[in-house]
């Protein structure tokens, strides 16, 4: 085998290895589930986009894999701010599309982080009465459960 063919073969194998490694890195899954609540001011500006002023005991989970990202939030609201939740959800810079609002009992937005069990903070009592909102905002599909009696909100958003 001449020297030119050997160099071409080595370069080809190198490119093949890099493409396999690059594809694996692109599709590598990464996730995080909070083990303790945080306050709103400890979060990034991007996370605060989906958490209203006054929110307390914020719990988060997220999942990334390639172009897919799922975000799960649960937070408590002070009694005096619960009346503002719906206007906060439906307001903002980006228009809300395809809004669905339904009364539910014991139903949470779906947990979709593969191979990760739902944490205790994501649970809801089977008899808990609330309102579920589902809509699109920009590229995000948003699903929200509001339990007024508990002053608690569960929120999920997915990039689509």
């Amino acid at each position: 085998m001449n020297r030119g063919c050997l160099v071409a073969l080595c370069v080809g194998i190198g490119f093949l290895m890099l493409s396999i490694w690059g594809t694996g890195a692109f599709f590598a899954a990464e996730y995080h589930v909070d083990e303790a609540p945080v306050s709103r001011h400890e979060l990034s500006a991007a996370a605060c986009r989906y958490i209203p002023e006054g929110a307390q005991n914020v719990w988060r989970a997220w999942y990334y894999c390639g172009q897919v990202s799922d975000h799960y939030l649960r937070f408590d609201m002070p009694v005096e701010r619960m009346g503002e939740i719906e206007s906060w959800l439906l307001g903002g810079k980006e228009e809300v599309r395809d809004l669905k609002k339904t009364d539910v009992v014991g139903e949470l937005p779906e947990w979709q982080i593969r191979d990760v069990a739902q944490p205790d903070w994501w649970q809801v009592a089977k008899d808990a009465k609330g309102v579920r909102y589902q809509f699109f905002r920009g590229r995000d599909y948003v699903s929200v459960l509001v339990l007024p009696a508990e002053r608690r909100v569960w929120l999920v958003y997915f990039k689509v």
Side-chain angles (χ1 to χ4, degrees):
M1 190 181 261
N2 70 27
R3 186 175 172 173
C5 289
L6 187 60
V7 169
L9 180 64
C10 289
V11 169
I13 290 172
F15 278 124
L16 178 64
M17 296 303 287
L18 281 174
S19 67
I20 291 171
W21 175 79
T23 302
F26 182 76
F27 290 107
E30 187 178 347
Y31 69 89
H32 167 81
V33 178
D34 279 351
E35 294 183 19
V38 297
S39 60
R40 186 179 187 277
H41 74 273
E42 295 177 67
L43 302 172
S44 68
C48 287
R49 176 178 174 211
Y50 282 100
I51 302 171
E53 290 289 334
Q56 304 165 339
N57 298 321
V58 179
W59 295 84
R60 301 166 301 157
W62 48 260
Y63 171 82
Y64 292 105
C65 184
Q67 296 292 315
V68 175
S69 67
D70 304 346
H71 300 267
Y72 301 82
L73 302 164
R74 196 208 78 194
F75 52 88
D76 298 335
M77 290 297 293
V79 174
E80 64 274 6
R81 304 288 308 263
M82 280 305 293
E84 303 168 15
I85 289 289
E86 184 170 326
S87 62
W88 170 79
L89 277 173
L90 305 180
K93 295 177 185 173
E94 296 176 355
E95 179 182 329
V96 168
R97 301 180 324 274
D98 301 326
L99 173 66
K100 295 180 181 86
K101 178 181 172 183
T102 55
D103 292 330
V104 294
V105 177
E107 181 183 322
L108 274 171
E110 186 175 351
W111 180 266
Q112 296 184 19
I113 300 180
R114 291 182 217 133
D115 302 325
V116 177
Q118 291 181 8
D120 291 340
W121 57 262
W122 191 254
Q123 305 300 317
V124 65
K126 292 188 186 301
D127 61 345
K129 295 179 182 176
V131 179
R132 185 168 182 176
Y133 299 85
Q134 294 175 297
F135 54 89
F136 288 91
R137 177 180 282 147
R139 289 184 48 215
D140 295 345
Y141 172 74
V142 184
S143 182
V144 182
L145 172 66
V146 179
L147 298 182
E150 287 85 0
R151 302 179 357 260
R152 192 157 282 168
V153 177
W154 285 259
L155 187 145
V156 177
Y157 66 97
F158 308 102
K159 294 283 185 201
V160 291

